[in-house]
Structures are given as C-alpha cells and as structure tokens.
Amino acid sequence: GAVVSQHPSWVICKSGTSVKIECRSLDFQATTMFWYRQFPKQSLMLMATSNEGSKATYEQGVEKDKFLINHASLTLSTLTVTSAHPEDSSFYICSASLQGGEQYFGPGTRLTVT
Amino acid sequence: LAKTTQPISMDSYEGQEVNITCSHNNIATNDYITWYQQFPSQGPRFIIQGYKTKVTNEVASLFIPADRKSSTLSLPRVSLSDTAVYYCLVGDDRSADGLTFGKGTHLIIQP
C-alpha cells in the first residue's frame, strides 16, 4: 500500500516559537493532502485540505495565519505552527490521496509546547 | 457526510470473534462505508471498505444489510494486539474532501 511519512515524529518547543511538520508521500504523487489534529482521548479533526500549487482550504475555527500550510510539490506538504502556545500541544496527522481516492495516513507528529 | 454512531467501548477476550456495529441512518446513495483502526500515538490504518452485502479481506469482514443504514465490522479470533480504537466512516469514495471521524469504538482485548 501507499506510504506516507511525517517528520518529526515528535517535537518539544517553547511557547512563542514556530514549528514545521513535514508530510511526504513516498511512493505516489498526492494531488491532495489533509491535516488533522487529535487531542488526547478525542477523535481526529480535520484542520485543512491542501492541493498542490494552490492555497489550502481551512476548516471553520482553524486560524490560517497560525497554521501555515504549504503544498509545494506532489509529494510534500508542510504545516507550520506559528507562535505556538501550550494549547497547540496535540497530535498532528496528515493524509494524502491521489485524485480524490483513498486517503493514506501518516504516523503522526506529537507536538508539545512548554 | 452521513453521521455515524458506534459504541464508545467494547471488551472481549483473546480468540473470540468481535463484532462492532455502526449506525448510519442518513447514508447517501453514493456513500461507501470505511473502517479504520488507530493505535495510540499512530495514524489511522485502513481496515476495510464496502458498499453493500459482505466484504472480506485478510483482516476483517464487513457486513452491510440491504438498507445500508448500519454496518458491522467483524474481527475473527482477536488477539491482544487488536486493542485499538475503531472508526466507522461513511462518505463518497470519489470525494476529495477530508474525512469526518466520529468518536470511534475503543476495543479492549483481555487475555
């Protein structure tokens, strides 16, 4: 099956700093990538949808200026959490799909903001 | 997207067959039913997908009645490693939209 990777797998940063998370589709070209966030003991919540070469579409309540998404190529999307605060601590998961087909999920990135 | 309802938690024992039922009364004609498995601190993993009747793969079976308003994921002879959260999702397989996850079912397998 298709493989999606994320880097880093975990990160600890200080409040006020920015953190970049990468999502890569390793063996296929993903026309669309999605970013989800999951708080402890809760379900995944879709944050945004990004298509290669165009601006991301954010879900209601997700600040686009805080969560910067760049989908510069068909195999890479990045999520940058700007000016991170402790409440941004969460598990961030990306998924990738080819032309609206099945989504393949990455292993997730654990962000802890101190 | 059709809303889904699943039990919050279930428990069983090693070697047993486990059936998790999901209700989706508002399923649309173009919607497929997909089940994912998630272990702690990992991304969801696709288990099985179906449209109607029965689908079986090497991991599980999916039973869908004629009215498609519910579905049952069947895990044969579970082991401790099947302890996870199982999500039932309903949506158009051709859609380019992100997925809407419900609360899922936390399955706990005991020795």
Side-chain angles (χ1 to χ4, degrees):
Chain A
V3 179
V4 175
S5 70
Q6 284 184 236
H7 178 80
S9 56
W10 60 270
V11 57
I12 302 173
C13 71
K14 292 186 176 181
S15 185
T17 62
S18 295
V19 175
K20 180 185 287 188
I21 302 170
E22 293 184 347
C23 176
R24 294 181 184 273
S25 57
L26 299 184
D27 52 4
F28 70 103
Q29 293 187 323
T31 51
T32 306
M33 287 186 170
F34 305 87
W35 286 96
Y36 297 82
R37 179 169 54 182
Q38 185 174 33
F39 292 108
K41 298 189 183 303
Q42 294 188 24
S43 185
L44 286 78
M45 293 197 63
L46 179 66
M47 298 176 67
T49 302
S50 77
N51 293 294
E52 186 263 339
S54 61
K55 290 184 177 180
T57 302
Y58 292 81
E59 295 299 301
Q60 190 173 10
V62 178
E63 300 175 55
K64 63 179 182 180
D65 294 329
K66 181 171 184 59
F67 299 98
L68 302 179
I69 293 173
N70 184 283
H71 192 164
S73 77
L74 286 172
T75 59
L76 173 64
S77 176
T78 60
L79 168 68
T80 301
V81 183
T82 62
S83 186
H85 292 286
E87 57 265 31
D88 299 322
S89 298
S90 188
F91 192 52
Y92 292 86
I93 306 169
C94 74
S95 70
S97 72
L98 176 60
Q99 295 179 340
E102 180 181 342
Q103 289 188 30
Y104 301 94
F105 286 86
T109 297
R110 175 75 58 192
L111 170 63
T112 302
V113 184
T114 61
Chain B
L1 294 174
K3 182 179 177 180
T4 60
T5 303
Q6 307 172 229
I8 295 295
S9 65
M10 294 179 64
D11 58 4
S12 186
Y13 295 91
E14 281 191 294
Q16 299 295 305
E17 177 184 84
V18 172
N19 297 309
I20 306 174
T21 297
C22 177
S23 297
H24 28 79
N25 292 316
N26 297 323
I27 189 169
T29 302
N30 292 333
D31 288 344
Y32 282 73
I33 301 154
T34 310
W35 286 79
Y36 287 86
Q37 175 192 56
Q38 186 183 27
F39 297 113
S41 296
Q42 293 187 29
R45 183 176 77 103
F46 173 90
I47 300 176
I48 197 167
Q49 183 183 71
Y51 184 81
K52 62 180 180 180
T53 62
K54 176 183 175 182
V55 179
T56 298
N57 61 22
E58 63 276 9
V59 177
S61 293
L62 179 59
F63 298 93
I64 305 168
D67 66 5
R68 303 201 325 123
K69 294 183 183 298
S70 67
S71 59
T72 299
L73 174 72
S74 181
L75 304 172
R77 297 181 300 281
V78 293
S79 64
L80 295 177
S81 61
D82 291 315
T83 294
V85 179
Y86 293 82
Y87 294 98
C88 162
L89 282 76
V90 174
D92 189 337
D93 192 45
R94 298 159 299 175
S95 171
D97 295 335
L99 299 176
T100 300
F101 285 79
K103 296 183 184 301
T105 297
H106 188 191
L107 175 64
I108 300 172
I109 304 301
Q110 302 182 46

